[in-house]
């Protein structure tokens, strides 16, 4: 591995030789992260972030305005001041160069004039000017390189600190506005995820760029007056018209760029919307595929993409047109100056005046050219600054107000006793959803319209008022939250030290030991994002194992037997694991209390109703008060489930659960015996091997070597052959007119015009060389106009071609991504996918077509300059191949290295994004566990790796730039020595104009070669983004379905048959389902029951054609495997998932995104589910948004809305997956009765996955699943 830059010697530091091991490795093999040099101590992400965060907190505490700006300045003012001095010195040295060139050309003019002998003073001054000019050029190469390196290091420090600071506020301190109408539990994370991407990717950068702009403002007066003074000394008042042209051009540019600044906000809003829809679709991909809704959501994303590209196209016009004007401006300004100089002042055009003036025009245009850029960058910064501040919760007018907690928690380390409350709530009021007052205002007529189900669910939305509550002594307080990507063990430990004995106890207490025994790598098996690869019960028990002390209805997703085991193992005295802890459990149905002592110990029950605590006492005393909420518990106790003497405590015999109906209990000892058998036979050779076996996530793929030709071809076809042809013609015109302008100036300033390159081309039109200044000026003006028009045309075509390609390639990548199967999404986390649709799409949108134009233009530019050099100095042209060969020698190292660094850069960015996704989704859990520091450190490590890749890219670019500049400077030095060689008679004398343009063009042609090499590598780096997007566009080949579904499919007979169905998720894994042979008749309701993880979900997924299986599944006499899976899910099979997912958009799009149903059909489906009253009240209609607070739905109402989606299709088979698990008992039965009756009306076979025995009375049949087999 290369050493960090701060460990290198001064020579290695100044020449970037410390990077040699890296570039040598890049030629030999594929580079890995370990090959990238570590960052210097001054660039350490954690250290920089810590300093900035401390300073930001201090600024906030003092209540200063713009705390973020102040904190950055306080942190880095010394380094920024040093850079300002370096920039000032660089400018003055650059201004000295044209003056030295003038003296060189005067020396050359003296040798080609009428004077036959030069004085000693002329020779000495000429020689000194030549050698000083050469030495200054060499020094500036090294100086500018080191200045850029210093700026890159400062950028790295500030950027890493700002990004870490933004993320720190997001996870640890950021206050989100309370959303009283959360549509679903992950609404906030869905909104935050794309926002944080855009803030960190696109808003942090402008907050750094503004620093360099502010520093440049201080230099402006010096640059402007010094450039004007030098120009005035050369052409006197002729500088005025040139200045007028600059001002007019820059006013036009400023208007365009100011509009671009305003458009940025529009574009980023469109980007936020597009990324938000991508994030929502990717996170809900399983639901979308179950509903066969991928196509309408793809269309929705493409609509947002079109809006984004429309804003992007407008911004590109605003950016490209100033660029076209700037590229032509030096020629136009020179035209204005020369016109005044020749026509008004009557001066003669001489090379020693013209060429320095052309160089000095650039110095004049530069300062004025910054004004439009400053205005544009200010508006961009303003937009980015507001977004960053808003996301971090900062206020530019003063410090951010600190939150005032409504509860108190004992400081860490303070011991709690039985008499000391660990948590106290005093007169607290907590409100979410529609308040009780709002509910009271509903009209009686409207309330009467609501179904009983809807009314019961709606009543569950309330606020807590004037709560006074003490939670007594315990050891700690925590939270059972969401699952992150990682192993089962890492999700349980969540940063705690591994204690094998305690860990085993926790696994047994939470009944996870049996599940882990059936996993191929035990607790080292990986978990997909959000626990997607676990069953609902396994996710619930994993949360219990992690925390188990602040629990939100933890047993609702568990079957009775497992729930009872866990309840006793955790809570039953005296041996329960949590007997000594303060535990708070929220539950709609606390039936599980029946297996605990109801009248002893510290067990208390609080009854909440309408936001008020009505009772708080031991369960036995509260039961005596006859509250409806404890009716089920009372029934359990009366059947002997519980007692007041502690017979349900740990260590006693397991109480048997009574069946809720005449249907026998499906849970039996066969489940335990099967799992125990698997556990007995499972052996793991070691943790490393186990992790490999249990690995779920695949390493992100990255290509090796050159970008493949098919990637180039794909992009060219996306741009369009006709568009590419016209673009090439326009770029050729730019080169032709630019070189004609140069050759015409050479002709104009030559004393012997018959010896110039242009005269042979003019002979057919003129008898003698034209010398009239007006005539020469008119021709130069025409050439300048053609040059300007070609510039505008070329830039315009780049915009049109680039936007066209961006739309096409994005659509292909999105289609391929949404078509991926479940198993692909399990092994490719959402953050990784979103990174490609964020960063890679941004590269594609902005850069590729532009770089193509630059490269093609560079080739043409090289040809034109080579022609001029061939005319002026053939020897220089002969040296060119040797210079090009030397550059290419180093370029081989550069290209091989930079490609791999770019790929690692994008992969490391995926890691950063994925860590953000996990942290944002689970930030409530992270805060509750007090794990913010641990998570932030982990994310800082990922960010540090990303910064290493970014810094390595910059440094390798400086490495090749320095070497190519030094090699190329040999050619410039040779041409600069021409006056000296002329003096000694080594070469024939030539005009000063030819020598001047030869010197200028030698610089230009070296820059072009260097630009071509670096831009080609830049093109490859950018095409890597196209390569990565096209990788997602390629989908697995699928055998086309043999049959199409007839139009009369609704008339097909009902029922479903499963023959020898076996499900295997991945090669090498045991079957998740095997030997399934079942028959379900039309209209039959079958309960699918079994222990969590037994295979119930796998059975449903096989029917939905979402997992690979063997055997046959027949519906209505049609084998489902013969149809496209989307056709099956859209028509024959419908599913109501366990976790309802409501998408952003209107109620209509949440019911029928394809727009196939009429309004009447939609209202009938809602009415059938008892939702019409809720969805039509207070002026709401089908177009009411589900995401802006207008339509607030509770958990149960969301479940009914999901059922209405399926009911609209009248499927032959309806799958209900734990649809009532999280509902109160009285609501659960009412909801299920409604669902079953509606689906029976459509003659569907209904499969109800449930563990709630009280629901079995509504079923016709029970199917028992154990260890992937049907056992009854």
């Amino acid at each position: 591995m290369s050493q960090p830059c701060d460990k290198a010697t001064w020579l290695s530091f100044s020449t970037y030789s410390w990077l040699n091991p890296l570039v040598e490795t890049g030629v030999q093999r594929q580079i890995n992260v370990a090959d990238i040099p570590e960052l210097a101590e001054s660039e350490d992400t954690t250290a920089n972030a810590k300093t900035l965060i401390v300073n930001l907190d201090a600024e906030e505490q003092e209540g200063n305005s713009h705390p973020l700006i102040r904190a950055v300045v306080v942190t880095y003012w010394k380094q920024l001041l040093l850079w300002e001095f370096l920039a000032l010195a660089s400018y003055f040295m650059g201004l000295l160069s044209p003056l030295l060139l003038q003296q060189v050309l005067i020396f050359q003019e003296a040798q080609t004039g009428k004077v036959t002998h030069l004085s000693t003073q002329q020779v000495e001054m000429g020689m000194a000017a030549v050698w000083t000019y050469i030495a200054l050029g060499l020094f500036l190469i090294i100086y500018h390189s080191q200045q850029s390196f210093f700026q890159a290091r400062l950028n790295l420090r500030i950027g890493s600190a700002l990004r870490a600071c933004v993320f720190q506020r997001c996870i640890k301190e950021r206050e989100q506005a309370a959303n009283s109408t959360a549509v679903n539990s992950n609404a906030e994370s869905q909104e935050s995820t794309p926002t944080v991407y855009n803030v960190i990717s696109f808003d942090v950068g402008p907050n750094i760029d503004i620093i360099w702009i502010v520093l440049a403002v201080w230099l402006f007066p010096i640059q402007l007056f010094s450039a004007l003074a030098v120009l005035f000394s050369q052409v006197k008042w002729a500088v005025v018209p040139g200045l007028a042209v600059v001002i007019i051009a820059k006013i036009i540019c400023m208007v365009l760029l100011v509009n671009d600044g305003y458009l940025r906000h529009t574009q980023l809003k469109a980007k936020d919307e597009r990324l938000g829809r991508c994030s929502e679709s990717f996170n809900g991909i399983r639901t979308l595929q179950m509903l066969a809704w991928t196509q309408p959501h793809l269309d929705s994303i493409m609509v947002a993409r079109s809006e984004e590209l429309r804003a992007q196209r407008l911004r590109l016009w605003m950016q490209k047109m100033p660029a076209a004007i700037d590229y032509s401006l030096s020629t136009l300004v020179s035209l204005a100056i020369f016109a005044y100089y020749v026509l008004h002042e009557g001066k003669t055009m001489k090379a020693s005046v013209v060429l320095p003036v052309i160089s000095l025009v650039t110095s004049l245009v530069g300062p004025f050219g910054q004004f439009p850029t400053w205005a544009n960058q200010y508006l961009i910064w303003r937009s980015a600054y507001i977004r960053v501040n808003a996301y971090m919760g900062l206020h530019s007018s003063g410090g951010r107000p600190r939150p005032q907690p409504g509860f108190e928690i004992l400081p860490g380390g303070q011991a709690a006793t039985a008499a000391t409350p660990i948590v106290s709530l005093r007169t607290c009021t907590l409100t979410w959803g529609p308040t009780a007052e709002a509910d009271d205002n509903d009209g009686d007529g409207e309330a009467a319209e609501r179904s009983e189900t809807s009314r019961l669910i709606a009543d569950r939305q309330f606020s807590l008022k004037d709560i006074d509550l003490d939670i007594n002594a315990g050891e700690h307080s925590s939270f059972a939250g969401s699952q992150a990507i990682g192993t089962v063990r890492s999700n349980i430990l969540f940063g705690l030290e591994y204690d094998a004995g305690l860990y085993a106890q926790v696994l047994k207490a939470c009944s996870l030991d049996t599940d882990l025994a059936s996993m191929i790598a035990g607790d080292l098996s990986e978990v997909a994002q959000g626990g997607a690869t676990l069953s609902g019960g396994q996710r619930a028990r994993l949360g219990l194992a992690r925390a188990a002390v602040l629990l939100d209805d933890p047993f609702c997703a568990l079957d009775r037997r497992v729930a009872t085991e866990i309840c006793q193992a955790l809570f039953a005295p005296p041996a329960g694991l949590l007997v000594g802890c303060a535990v708070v459990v929220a539950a709609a149905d606390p039936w599980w209390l029946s297996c605990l002592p109801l009248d002893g110990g510290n067990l208390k029950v609080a009854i909440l109703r309408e936001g008020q605590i009505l009772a708080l006492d031991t369960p036995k005393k509260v039961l005596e008060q006859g509250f409806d909420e404890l009716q089920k518990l009372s029934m359990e106790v009366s059947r002997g489930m519980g007692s007041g003497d502690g017979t349900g405590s740990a260590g006693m015999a397991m109480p048997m659960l009574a069946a809720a109906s005449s249907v026998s209990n499906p849970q039996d000892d066969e489940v335990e015996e099967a799992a125990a058998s698997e556990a007995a036979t499972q052996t793991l050779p070691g943790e490393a091997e186990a992790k490999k076996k249990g690995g779920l996530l695949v390493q992100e793929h990255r290509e090796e070597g050159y970008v493949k030709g098919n990637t180039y071809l794909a992009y060219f076809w996306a741009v369009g052959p006709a568009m590419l042809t016209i673009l090439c013609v326009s770029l050729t015109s730019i080169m032709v007119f630019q070189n004609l302008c140069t050759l015409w100036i050479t002709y104009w300033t030559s004393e012997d015009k018959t010896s110039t390159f242009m005269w042979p081309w003019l002979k057919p039109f003129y008898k003698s060389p034209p010398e009239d200044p007006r005539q020469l000026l008119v021709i130069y003006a025409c050439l300048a106009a053609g040059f300007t028009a070609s510039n505008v045309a070329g830039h315009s075509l780049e915009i049109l071609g680039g936007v066209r390609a961006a739309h096409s390639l994005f659509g292909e990548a999105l289609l391929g991504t949404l078509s991926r199967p479940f198993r692909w999404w399990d092994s490719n986390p959402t953050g990784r996918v979103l990174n490609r649709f964020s960063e890679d799409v941004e590269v594609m949108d902005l850069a590729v077509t532009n770089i193509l134009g630059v490269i093609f233009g560079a080739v043409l530019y090289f040809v034109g300059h080579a022609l001029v050099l061939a005319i002026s100095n053939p020897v220089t042209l002969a040296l060119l191949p040797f210079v090009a060969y030397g550059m290419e020698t180093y370029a081989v190292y550069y290209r091989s290295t930079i490609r791999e660094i770019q790929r690692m850069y994008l992969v490391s960015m995926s890691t950063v994004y994925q860590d953000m996704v996990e942290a944002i989704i689970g930030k409530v859990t992270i805060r509750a566990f007090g794990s913010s520091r641990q998570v932030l450190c982990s994310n800082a490590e990922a960010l540090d790796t990303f910064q290493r890749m970014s810094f390595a890219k910059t440094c390798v670019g400086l490495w090749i730039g320095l070497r190519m500049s030094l090699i190329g400077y040999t050619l410039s030095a040779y041409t600069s020595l021409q006056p000296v060689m002329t003096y000694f008679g080594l070469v024939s004398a030539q005009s000063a104009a030819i020598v001047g343009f030869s010197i200028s063009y030698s610089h230009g042609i070296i820059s072009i070669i260097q630009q071509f090499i670096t831009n080609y590598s830049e093109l490859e780096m950018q095409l890597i983004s196209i390569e990565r997007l096209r990788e997602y566009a390629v989908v697995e080949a699928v055998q086309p379905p043999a049959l199409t579904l007839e139009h009369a499919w609704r008339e097909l007979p009902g029922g479903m048959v499963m023959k020898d169905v076996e499900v295997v998720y991945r090669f090498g894994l045991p079957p998740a389902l095997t030997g399934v042979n079942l028959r379900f008749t039309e209209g039959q309701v079958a309960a699918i029951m079994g222990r969590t993880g037994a295979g119930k979900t796998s059975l449903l997924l096989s029917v939905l054609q979402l997992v690979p299986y063997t055997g046959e599944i027949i519906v209505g006499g049609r084998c489902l495997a013969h149809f496209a899976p989307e056709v099956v899910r859209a028509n024959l099979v419908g599913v109501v998932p366990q976790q309802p997912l409501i998408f952003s958009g209107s109620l209509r799009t949440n019911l029928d995104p394809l727009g196939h149903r009429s309004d009447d059909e939609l209202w009938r489906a809602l009415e059938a589910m008892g939702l019409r009253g809720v969805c039509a009240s207070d002026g709401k209609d089908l177009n009411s948004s589900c995401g802006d607070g207008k339509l607030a739905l509770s958990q149960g109402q969301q479940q009914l809305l999901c059922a209405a989606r399926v009911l609209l299709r009248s499927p032959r088979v309806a799958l209900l997956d734990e649809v009532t698990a999280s509902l109160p008992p009285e609501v659960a039965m009412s909801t299920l009765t409604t669902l079953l009756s509606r689906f029976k009306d459509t003659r569907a076979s209904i499969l109800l996955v449930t563990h709630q025995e009280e629901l079995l009375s509504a079923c016709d049949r029970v199917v028992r699943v154990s260890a992937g087999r049907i056992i009854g």
Side-chain angles (χ1 to χ4, degrees), residues 124-145:
E124 289 177 351
M125 289 186 63
M127 293 291 184
V130 169
W131 291 110
T132 304
Y133 182 76
I134 293 173
L136 179 64
L138 183 61
F139 176 77
L140 285 177
I141 289 173
I142 299 173
Y143 183 88
H144 288 155
S145 178

Side-chain angles (χ1 to χ4, degrees), residues 170 174-179 181-200 203 268-284 386-388 390-393 529 830 834 916-917 919-923 927 1141-1145 1186-1189:
C170 169
R174 176 173 176 254
E175 298 174 62
Q176 299 251 4
N179 183 359
T181 58
V183 175
N184 52 55
S185 58
N186 65 346
E188 180 184 328
S189 63
Q190 287 182 349
E191 179 273 329
S192 300
T193 300
T195 304
V196 74
Y197 286 167
N198 286 339
V199 168
I200 289 181
D203 292 319
L268 282 181
K269 280 185 65 178
K271 189 183 292 291
D272 285 343
E273 178 66 21
R274 191 260 301 168
L275 265 181
R277 294 186 188 184
C278 285
S279 177
E280 181 181 58
S281 297
F282 296 162
N283 284 316
I386 290 171
R387 286 164 57 88
V388 169
Y391 195 80
M392 294 176 68
Q529 181 177 318
T830 304
L834 274 174
M916 289 178 187
V917 171
I920 291 170
I921 291 175
K923 64 184 173 185
R927 290 172 182 169
L1141 182 59
I1142 308 301
F1143 297 98
S1144 61
C1186 294
D1188 61 2

Side-chain angles (χ1 to χ4, degrees), residues 433-449:
T435 61
E437 288 85 349
D439 291 340
D440 292 339
N441 292 331
D442 292 338
D444 295 337
E446 180 184 322
E449 292 179 4

Side-chain angles (χ1 to χ4, degrees), residues 826-872:
D826 291 339
S827 56
N828 289 273
T830 304
R832 177 188 298 176
V833 181
L834 274 174
N835 176 46
R836 299 206 182 191
F837 284 89
S838 174
E839 195 67 27
D840 290 310
V841 167
E842 179 74 5
V843 171
M844 176 179 67
D845 288 352
L846 293 178
V848 176
T849 307
N850 180 53
I851 290 294
L852 281 174
V854 169
I855 289 177
F856 186 74
V859 173
L860 298 174
Y861 195 81
F862 174 82
V863 172
H865 279 52
L867 282 174
V868 174
L869 279 177
I871 297 167
S872 62

Side-chain angles (χ1 to χ4, degrees), residues 557-786:
L558 307 183
D559 58 79
R560 288 292 180 102
R561 181 188 182 103
V562 173
T564 303
E565 292 174 0
I566 294 174
C567 182
Q568 287 198 329
L570 294 178
F571 305 137
L577 279 180
L578 299 179
V579 166
C581 299
V583 181
V584 180
V585 183
D589 179 12
W591 63 266
W592 42 271
L593 288 173
S594 59
C595 64
L596 300 175
L598 301 182
D599 59 352
N602 291 325
L603 184 61
K604 298 288 191 300
V605 171
I607 301 296
L608 284 172
R609 187 184 296 170
E610 299 293 338
Q612 302 280 351
I613 295 182
L614 302 184
L616 176 60
D617 213 322
T618 63
K620 188 171 184 180
K621 292 182 179 181
V622 176
L623 277 171
E624 293 172 355
Q625 300 179 44
F627 287 102
D628 292 340
E629 287 82 351
L630 299 182
Q631 186 177 2
K632 286 284 298 299
L633 176 61
S634 179
M635 294 172 58
E636 300 285 359
V637 172
S638 65
R639 288 202 297 262
M641 281 293 300
S643 63
D645 55 6
T647 56
S649 62
M652 304 300 291
M654 178 67 65
M656 297 303 295
L657 300 177
S661 68
S662 60
V663 184
S664 62
N665 183 2
Q667 312 298 334
D668 55 27
D669 292 337
E670 292 185 47
V671 176
E672 189 172 340
E673 290 171 3
S677 175
E678 286 187 47
T681 59
Q682 181 181 359
T683 57
L684 296 175
E687 286 197 0
E689 184 65 24
K691 285 183 179 179
K692 185 176 180 180
K693 283 186 176 181
L696 179 65
L697 300 182
V698 296
Q699 187 175 3
E700 186 168 10
H701 173 71
R702 61 186 176 101
E703 295 285 350
E704 184 176 358
Y706 292 100
V707 175
K708 304 299 185 292
N710 57 4
T711 302
Y712 287 90
L713 191 60
Y715 188 77
F716 291 156
W717 277 109
V719 173
M723 184 69 68
L724 275 177
T725 303
I726 300 172
L727 177 61
C728 291
V729 171
S730 296
L731 294 174
T732 304
S733 299
I734 294 174
M735 182 275 294
V736 170
F737 280 109
Q738 185 178 29
N739 284 285
L740 285 175
C741 287
T742 300
L743 292 171
W744 190 252
I745 288 292
T746 305
Y747 172 85
W748 193 350
T749 57
S750 297
E751 294 183 4
D752 183 9
K753 293 181 170 49
T754 58
S755 63
T756 61
F757 174 79
M758 292 297 294
W759 171 236
W761 297 91
L762 294 173
K763 271 186 177 182
F765 308 99
Y766 298 95
K767 293 181 180 181
S768 61
E771 295 188 2
D772 179 31
R774 293 180 183 275
Q775 189 178 17
L776 297 176
L777 187 63
V778 168
I779 295 175
Y780 183 65
C782 293
L783 295 175

Side-chain angles (χ1 to χ4, degrees), residues 70 203 205 272 280 359 382 396 443 511 573 645 745 854 939 974 997 1008 1114 1167 1208 1218 1245 1250:
R70 291 173 178 269
D203 292 319
D272 285 343
E280 181 181 58
S359 298
R382 188 67 184 168
S396 58
S511 294
D645 55 6
I745 288 292
V854 169
N939 279 269
Y974 174 79
F997 277 115
I1008 287 300
I1114 301 170
E1167 188 171 15
L1208 279 168
E1218 299 281 11
S1245 300
T1250 184

